[in-house]
Amino acid sequence: MSTKTVSNRNDPVIEHRDQLVAPMAAGEKPAERWRIGTEHEKFVYCRKDRHAPSYEEPGGIRDLLDSLTEYGWEPIEEGGKVIALKGSDGAVSLEPAGQLELSGAPLENLHQTCAETGRHLKQVKAIGEKTGKGFLGMGLWPDKTRDELPIMPKGRYAIMLRHMPRVGSMGLDMMLRTCTIQVNLDYSSEADMVKKFRVGLALQPLATALFANSPFLEGKPNGYLSYRSHIWSDTDPARTGMLPFVFEDGFGYERYADYMLDVPMYFVYRDGKYIDAAGYSFRDFLKGELSVLPGEKPRISDWEDHMSTAFPEVRLKSFLEMRGADGGPWNRICALPAFWVGLLYDQSALDAAWDEVKDWTMEEREALRNAVPKLGLKAPIAGGKTLQDIAGRILDISSSGLAARARLDSSGNNETGFLDPLREVVASGKTPAEVLLDKYHGAWSGDLDRIYDDMSF
């Protein structure tokens, strides 16, 4: 989630509707300027007893962030406390219960992305060795209750923690117990954005299945392959989901702006502090009628902040965010951006991917989204088939897109090799979650502590 570093006081006040569309339109770039921004989260635990460390405890999250400054990261403070870091590889930030996130820099190719990921993981592992910390690559805490988890000292999280139980039964689980891998991608025009958005939404359940990695909850199997994805089904219906309007005629920046205006607010940021506006209307804010800031109208950065508080399966800001994947180990961090770059950054691949899904009805798309958390690749799709039946074909399309990009490393390899972990999933027909369940019921003999050896960085 976003980390604020500056106040909004001096930004232009929003006076015209065009200003609401401007951030999205400003994201348009020619293809040669398209970049790849990869975000990945991991759980932090103490190796001695595997508890989730608090911010303040000796060797805890604060000390971990302080130690990372040895590698050139610069601290970002809120209320006098370091809550994030910035550097040449992007930003390191904290999710609500201390999950550690790298929001990577915008990079030209997947070789750079994987090198960035490798640098980050090498750094945190070195710090972990010194501080007695381990890092778990999963989509869900496999053994922790909510009450066992700490809360990080970030103002927006306090507001969200109060608001979440009002609007859904699992919002606190989303905040405290989940991790994800995401990729942020560019578009050249409004029409290009629309097509990428539609392909991204339609195929997001496939990404969820391929990366499903959250089959345990509080020490035992939970009945799902991606419980993280299931959690989103009852987090906050006003700001989540498959966005049916994206597939309607006439969809574009204006329609997305209307959607965001209908998403209830969380906060307004002023003078280094978060003002609780949870549940209030941005439309009232535009009229100067927001009760927590009477008479004040929003500024451009207020709108940009607000755009970061919707959590659909694909999100639009000044780029598109693919949001459907569980957290996982190093090779799957690299595989997620490879999957989407291959599908969306080559026109022939994008066209072929759209041909695969363009005839699906909204009801079929919703049914697939709802089935995937439990069934993974066995989830049914239109025509009496399953995701398993099209997964190999979609990977072939992605691979062709990566090959066409012809971005080579120093050894002359293109980017297609980053899809290999996903090809293994499709070849076996087993999601990562099913592999873990087989181990739990087999070699581990029901001892879930073994997961720390298997899935730690």
Side-chain angles (χ1 to χ4, degrees), residues 184-405:
N184 305 324
L185 299 173
D186 291 317
Y187 44 84
S188 61
S189 65
E190 188 171 26
D192 186 45
M193 179 279 293
V194 169
K195 192 164 192 176
K196 287 174 175 173
F197 207 148
R198 289 172 174 169
V199 169
L201 274 175
L203 287 175
Q204 207 63 220
L206 176 56
T208 300
L210 290 170
F211 289 82
N213 192 36
S214 45
F216 303 107
L217 179 70
E218 298 181 10
K220 58 183 183 296
N222 55 40
Y224 291 81
L225 302 178
S226 177
Y227 196 85
R228 183 205 62 84
S229 182
H230 169 61
I231 282 171
W232 281 110
S233 69
D234 194 13
T235 289
D236 184 347
R239 65 184 81 240
T240 59
M242 290 287 283
L243 306 186
F245 64 86
V246 170
F247 296 91
E248 295 174 358
D249 292 343
F251 170 69
Y253 302 142
E254 291 270 358
R255 180 64 184 87
Y256 195 82
D258 285 334
Y259 161 71
M260 285 307 312
L261 287 172
D262 290 332
V263 171
M265 294 178 66
Y266 275 153
F267 60 82
V268 182
Y269 186 78
R270 288 291 184 274
D271 300 322
K273 296 181 179 179
Y274 288 89
I275 299 169
D276 190 341
Y280 290 113
S281 167
F282 205 93
R283 295 182 190 274
D284 289 342
F285 198 7
L286 287 171
K287 294 183 287 187
E289 297 174 359
L290 191 65
S291 60
V292 295
L293 278 178
E296 187 168 339
K297 292 187 175 182
R299 299 175 181 274
I300 292 295
S301 50
D302 292 323
W303 177 241
E304 292 172 346
D305 285 346
H306 183 59
M307 292 181 73
S308 75
T309 66
F311 309 117
E313 297 292 294
V314 177
R315 180 165 68 184
L316 173 62
K317 294 194 286 190
S318 57
F319 44 83
L320 287 166
E321 302 179 6
M322 304 294 132
R323 300 176 50 83
D326 285 4
W330 180 83
N331 64 349
R332 292 211 290 277
I333 294 173
C334 301
L336 189 276
F339 177 76
W340 289 115
V341 167
L343 292 175
L344 304 185
Y345 269 14
D346 174 73
Q347 190 62 50
S348 295
L350 179 61
D351 292 342
W354 178 237
D355 284 342
E356 291 284 340
V357 300
K358 65 183 180 182
D359 294 327
W360 294 359
T361 67
M362 195 61 231
E363 291 74 20
E364 288 167 339
R365 288 190 290 268
E366 289 283 1
L368 176 58
R369 164 65 183 88
N370 293 335
V372 155
K374 271 196 173 184
L375 299 179
L377 290 171
K378 298 179 183 68
I381 62 172
K385 298 181 179 180
T386 68
L387 277 179
Q388 177 72 41
D389 294 320
I390 67 163
R393 196 157 64 246
I394 298 298
L395 285 182
D396 287 344
I397 294 171
S398 178
S399 182
S400 70
L402 294 175
R405 277 166 50 82

